[in-house]
Amino acid sequence: KRIYDLKKKNQELEKFKFVLDYKIKELKRAIEPRENEIADMKTQIKEMDRELELFHKSNAQLDLLIGEQRQRINALQRAIASHRQLLSDQQTGVRRFRCDLHECVRHLQTPKDLALHVAQLYNKYVASDDGAGGVGSGAAAGSDVEAEIQLEYARQKQYLEKSVQVLKRKHAVDAQAQQQENLRATSDNMLLIREINDLRGGLTAAKNNLQMERATLATAALGPRKASGSAHGLAAALQQAGGDPDTLIARQRAEIEELRRVVKALEEKLVNGGSKPGEVLPPIGRAVDG
């Protein structure tokens, strides 16, 4: 019986072993992808470590470059500051020299004072820069400066004389041109005055012709009145019109138009068979009397 129990347990253990082997195989199959993922992640981590190391190296190099650039910038700033200071000093010296030079120019008409001030300028701006050598050759430098001053004075005098001559010639040419321009303007004014007088005469003649034409029209319009009346009738008509021939002409034109309408009406009645008994014709005398 014990052997039977042992065999039975052995069979059960074999069953458990089979089940456990199956589970182990499944677990191995489940663990294998994760192990692969872990291996891949380890590989990625190694690559990232290498990249990080490269980044650290590049950052260190960049830090070195930045330090060098900062040193260069600081050196350039110091150089710029020194150049600015030098430029400011030079500009100050130039301004001082200009002031002293203007002071010398004030004595341009007095050669002695001019020579004295130029010598002072030389001693101030040239001899001071030469040092001991300049002090040793002071007399020779003074004579050279005197000669240069005389030459400069002669050159300035010659230049001013030439300038005066050029200005005189230019003034003469300008005066002659101005005189010719004045003569031309005077002749143009005379021509314009003649043209204005001619135009005024033409305007007066045109006004006279217009008045004569108006009088002629008035006379022509008053022709029928002359045939039936006399010159006294014309004077009376002008007096009724207020002495204005235009008003008289307008009235005569109105009378002519009214007469034309009357004649046309009579012609139409004649065409239609004459006037009917008891019919009154248009008054002609009213149109004539106005």
Side-chain angles (χ1 to χ4, degrees):
K1 186 177 179 179
R2 185 172 178 79
I3 293 170
Y4 177 76
D5 292 334
L6 290 172
K7 287 182 178 180
K8 191 175 181 179
K9 286 182 180 180
N10 191 12
Q11 289 177 356
E12 290 178 357
L13 289 172
E14 286 180 356
K15 290 179 181 179
F16 283 127
K17 182 181 178 182
F18 179 76
V19 172
L20 290 173
D21 290 336
Y22 182 74
K23 287 183 177 180
I24 288 168
K25 289 179 181 178
E26 287 183 352
L27 290 172
K28 284 182 178 180
R29 285 196 297 270
I31 290 170
E32 187 176 0
R34 292 184 179 179
E35 288 179 351
N36 293 329
E37 290 179 359
I38 290 169
D40 294 336
M41 292 179 70
K42 285 181 179 179
T43 304
Q44 291 179 1
I45 289 169
K46 288 180 180 179
E47 291 178 355
M48 292 175 69
D49 288 336
R50 286 195 295 271
E51 290 179 357
L52 184 61
E53 187 176 359
L54 292 174
F55 284 143
H56 283 303
K57 289 180 180 179
S58 63
N59 286 330
Q61 292 177 357
L62 289 173
D63 289 335
L64 291 174
L65 290 175
I66 290 170
E68 291 177 357
Q69 293 295 330
R70 285 179 178 174
Q71 290 178 359
R72 290 180 182 177
I73 290 170
N74 293 329
L76 289 173
Q77 287 180 351
R78 288 192 296 271
I80 290 170
S82 63
H83 284 299
R84 285 180 178 174
Q85 184 64 34
L86 180 61
L87 182 62
S88 178
D89 295 339
Q90 290 178 354
Q91 288 178 352
T92 303
V94 169
R95 285 195 294 270
R96 290 177 181 174
F97 180 75
R98 284 180 179 177
C99 292
D100 295 337
L101 186 61
H102 285 302
E103 186 67 23
C104 289
V105 171
R106 292 176 57 186
H107 302 281
L108 189 63
Q109 302 298 329
T110 55
K112 292 183 179 180
D113 294 338
L114 181 63
L116 180 61
H117 282 82
V118 170
Q120 290 177 358
L121 280 178
Y122 180 81
N123 293 326
K124 184 176 181 180
Y125 293 101
V126 179
S128 61
D129 295 335
D130 292 339
V135 174
S137 59
S143 61
D144 293 338
V145 169
E146 183 70 23
E148 289 179 359
I149 290 171
Q150 294 295 331
L151 290 174
E152 183 65 25
Y153 177 75
R155 284 196 296 269
Q156 292 292 333
K157 183 178 180 181
Q158 186 178 4
Y159 173 74
L160 291 174
E161 289 176 353
K162 289 182 179 179
S163 300
V164 169
Q165 291 177 1
V166 171
L167 290 174
K168 285 182 178 179
R169 287 195 297 270
K170 186 176 180 181
H171 177 69
V173 172
D174 292 339
Q176 186 177 1
Q178 185 66 31
Q179 186 177 4
Q180 292 177 358
E181 184 68 22
N182 291 332
L183 291 174
R184 188 180 63 80
T186 304
S187 61
D188 292 340
N189 289 331
M190 294 297 293
L191 291 174
L192 290 173
I193 290 170
R194 291 195 190 96
E195 290 180 0
I196 290 169
N197 292 329
D198 294 339
L199 290 173
R200 285 178 178 174
L203 182 60
T204 304
K207 287 182 178 179
N208 293 329
N209 292 330
L210 181 60
Q211 290 178 358
M212 291 176 65
E213 288 178 359
R214 287 181 178 177
T216 303
L217 290 174
T219 304
L222 293 174
R225 292 283 185 92
K226 287 183 179 180
S228 61
S230 61
H232 180 71
L234 177 60
L238 285 172
Q239 187 175 4
Q240 289 179 0
D244 189 3
D246 294 333
T247 305
L248 181 60
I249 291 170
R251 288 184 179 181
Q252 293 296 326
R253 286 178 179 175
E255 291 176 1
I256 291 169
E257 291 294 329
E258 189 173 358
L259 289 172
R260 286 178 179 174
R261 286 195 298 271
V262 171
V263 171
K264 188 175 181 180
L266 291 173
E267 289 177 352
E268 289 177 356
K269 288 181 180 181
L270 290 174
V271 171
N272 292 329
S275 61
K276 296 180 180 180
E279 185 177 3
V280 180
L281 295 174
I284 299 175
R286 185 182 61 185
V288 175
D289 294 337

